[in-house]
Amino acid sequence: MRFPSVPRPRSLAGQLFAMQAVLIAVVVAGYALFTYVSDRHQAQDAATRQATAVARSVADSPSVRAAIHTAHPSTELQPYALQVMRGTEVDFVTIMTPDGIRWTHPDETQIGKHYLGHIEAAQQGHTYSETYKGTLGASVRTVTPVEEKGRVIGLVSAGIKVEAISQRVQEQVTALLGVAASALLLGALGTYVVNARLRRHTHGMNAAELSHMHDYHQAALHAVREGLLMLDGQYRVALINDGGRELLGVGAEEDVVGRSVAELGLPAPLTGALLASGPRVDEVHLTADRVLVVNTSPVSGGERRGTVATLRDVTELQSLMGELDSERGFTQALRSQAHEAANRLHTVVSLIELGRAEEAVDFATAELELAQALTDQVVAAVSEPVLAALLLGKTAQANERGVELVVSDESRLDDGLLPESLSARDLVTVLGNLIDNAVDAAQGTVRARVTVTAYAEDAELVMRVTDTGAGVDPAHVELVFQRGFSTKPAGPGGRGLGLALVRQAVVRLDGTLTVTEAPEGGAVFEVRLPLRESLAGGEAR
């Protein structure tokens, strides 16, 4: 069984043609009726109605509204107004601004000048007709508003000369039919052009389909959790969804559409990625409190039309990766220690087999005392379990790389001192990355050494890491904290992220981070974190 097919709604161009045909037919019929049965006064009334119909049809034309929003309305409106004049037998069609400045006029020298006549009623949204002597002489004219969403965006005036009205009383029916046919032909031609242009821009979709597409578009934007940012050809924000506002720190009430991406206050590397002409794939960028993965793709259709950028929040993932790296380092250190312990155990066994039991006991006791002394030193200075475990693991790692890591005598950090606002993850991120950076700098130097100091002072947690490396060039003091900056060759996972993550965590915790030169050479990185939540930090959290 076949069901009858549902007819597609008439296209917008077809509706436009029908409207133009009806309006032209009404104008011609009214013109013929009142021209042949009325005297001069009645002919003026007919001319007024004709001018009103023409003015209203022009004011209701979608192409007129579209042209008004262009940068140079006269370029499109002047040819259109001349076509309407020729097709509807009016002596002038003047399209103007709400203040009465002409966009069109039969005499092009009058374009840009003030309209002669009364426009107060039209400015209030009413249609007004009068007989007035203007630049073309006395004429019967009508002024009507061009409205959009209840707002007057322009005015249209159509008029017929008084002397022309007298002549038209005597015109023949054949001339009237010729004018009607010409008007219909012009309407059909204009509709054909508009139809072709609309179909090209709407990909053949009619008004109902466009409405449904818009609804789907809006629903998809609000449903997607990832950030979506669309820029036009001038790198201005064309569209941003709720996820994009959250990830970029743009308030929901802040109007950013139409603003340049350079004005959003984003970090310089992230702004550079969004302004890049080429595509970017899975680039990691840091904001004040997030780690974002950015992908960009240019939109082109014969010319560059803009850029589409997607944003993913990997802050938690990056933090977990940092913890995983630390755990991997601990594992490697334990493996190395296990290997060293096996060597020492073989030495003890061999001494016993050689009959030197006393020397075996002395050797084992010395090794045990050395390991216990290291543990006691760290735990005595820093009894906070997270930091103590981190320092013990990093000490073993540094030793494997030929760097001595020591905890200074100034260090004193009791267990239970740190508030809940300072999470173990943040402490691992800050101190772990500072130590890794210091070990990298000190490795290969004479008497390579990294000194860690941690203590509480004036309601602040102070963590200071000093190395014996080459130090930090004063010109690079700010650059070392930017993502991607490093003085060492990049490895498989890239470099230049550790110190950037440190600064991000410190800023998030309302702390301070400084770098200075050590007295014996090398660099000193010092972090100060409040031990109680600041007012601003508490409100933000």
Side-chain angles (χ1 to χ4, degrees), residues 162-457:
V162 174
E163 59 183 27
I165 295 175
S166 301
Q167 295 175 357
R168 292 178 184 179
V169 176
Q170 303 173 2
E171 289 178 350
Q172 301 299 318
V173 176
T174 53
L176 177 63
L177 295 177
V179 171
S182 300
L184 288 173
L185 180 61
L186 288 174
L189 179 61
T191 302
Y192 174 79
V193 174
V194 172
N195 183 29
R197 185 171 183 178
L198 282 176
R199 287 193 174 277
R200 183 171 65 253
H201 287 288
T202 62
H203 302 284
M205 291 186 291
N206 58 35
E209 291 170 335
L210 288 175
S211 177
H212 293 159
M213 183 65 68
H214 178 267
D215 294 339
Y216 297 148
H217 173 267
Q218 292 297 321
L221 283 180
H222 291 287
V224 174
R225 296 184 60 187
E226 287 74 14
L228 180 63
L229 180 66
M230 296 185 182
L231 308 176
D232 60 17
Q234 285 72 44
Y235 298 100
R236 295 173 300 195
V237 178
L239 184 145
I240 183 172
N241 70 343
D242 297 340
R245 287 179 176 273
E246 180 180 357
L247 295 181
L248 296 180
V250 178
E253 69 284 351
E254 186 177 355
D255 186 12
V256 299
V257 176
R259 291 172 54 186
S260 171
V261 69
E263 300 175 1
L264 300 183
L266 304 177
L270 178 56
T271 301
L274 297 176
L275 293 176
S277 57
R280 299 295 179 94
V281 179
D282 290 341
E283 284 195 359
V284 178
H285 290 274
L286 275 71
T287 64
D289 55 358
R290 295 181 186 273
V291 181
L292 303 179
V293 172
V294 180
N295 288 272
T296 66
S297 176
V299 179
S300 59
E303 60 180 6
R304 180 181 177 83
R305 296 184 178 179
T307 303
V308 176
T310 59
L311 312 169
R312 285 181 291 143
D313 187 3
V314 294
T315 305
E316 294 295 327
L317 178 60
Q318 189 65 48
S319 180
L320 292 174
M321 288 178 62
E323 291 187 15
L324 179 60
D325 290 339
S326 296
E327 295 297 335
R328 185 181 294 113
F330 296 156
T331 303
Q332 293 174 353
L334 289 174
R335 184 181 298 114
S336 176
Q337 292 299 316
H339 180 72
E340 289 298 320
N343 290 335
R344 296 185 186 102
L345 182 59
H346 285 308
T347 301
V348 172
V349 172
S350 298
L351 288 173
I352 293 175
E353 290 177 346
L354 293 175
R356 299 185 177 184
E358 185 176 348
E359 294 181 13
V361 172
D362 293 339
F363 179 82
T365 303
E367 290 295 327
L368 180 61
E369 290 177 349
L370 179 62
Q372 187 62 41
L374 174 61
T375 303
D376 292 343
Q377 178 191 6
V378 173
V379 174
V382 180
S383 58
E384 167 60 38
V386 173
L387 293 182
L390 176 67
L391 290 173
L392 287 172
K394 292 297 182 182
T395 299
Q397 283 183 272
N399 183 56
E400 288 299 313
R401 299 174 61 180
V403 178
E404 181 186 8
L405 191 151
V406 298
V407 179
S408 70
D409 296 335
E410 303 175 47
S411 298
R412 184 65 184 175
L413 201 60
D414 297 330
D415 188 12
L417 179 65
L418 301 182
E420 294 183 358
S421 59
L422 294 180
S423 65
R425 180 177 297 174
D426 289 329
L427 293 178
V428 169
T429 297
V430 173
L431 189 57
N433 280 290
L434 288 179
I435 293 176
D436 289 341
N437 181 74
V439 171
D440 284 342
Q443 186 177 11
T445 62
V446 178
R447 301 181 64 183
R449 185 173 185 175
V450 172
T451 304
V452 178
T453 304
Y455 59 92
E457 178 185 60

Side-chain angles (χ1 to χ4, degrees), residues 44 48 61 72 111-112 125 139 146 156 169 193 239 263 275 277 280 326 345 394 436 438 463 477 485 499 507 521 529:
Q44 289 184 349
T48 300
S61 174
H72 302 286
I111 295 176
S139 60
V146 179
V156 177
V169 176
V193 174
L239 184 145
E263 300 175 1
L275 293 176
S277 57
R280 299 295 179 94
S326 296
L345 182 59
K394 292 297 182 182
D436 289 341
M463 293 183 291
V477 169
F485 180 85
L499 290 181
V507 171
L529 300 176

Side-chain angles (χ1 to χ4, degrees), residues 448-477:
R449 185 173 185 175
V450 172
T451 304
V452 178
T453 304
Y455 59 92
E457 178 185 60
D458 297 332
E460 283 187 328
L461 170 62
V462 180
M463 293 183 291
R464 186 181 306 115
V465 179
T466 306
D467 62 70
T468 58
V472 178
D473 189 336
H476 296 161
V477 169

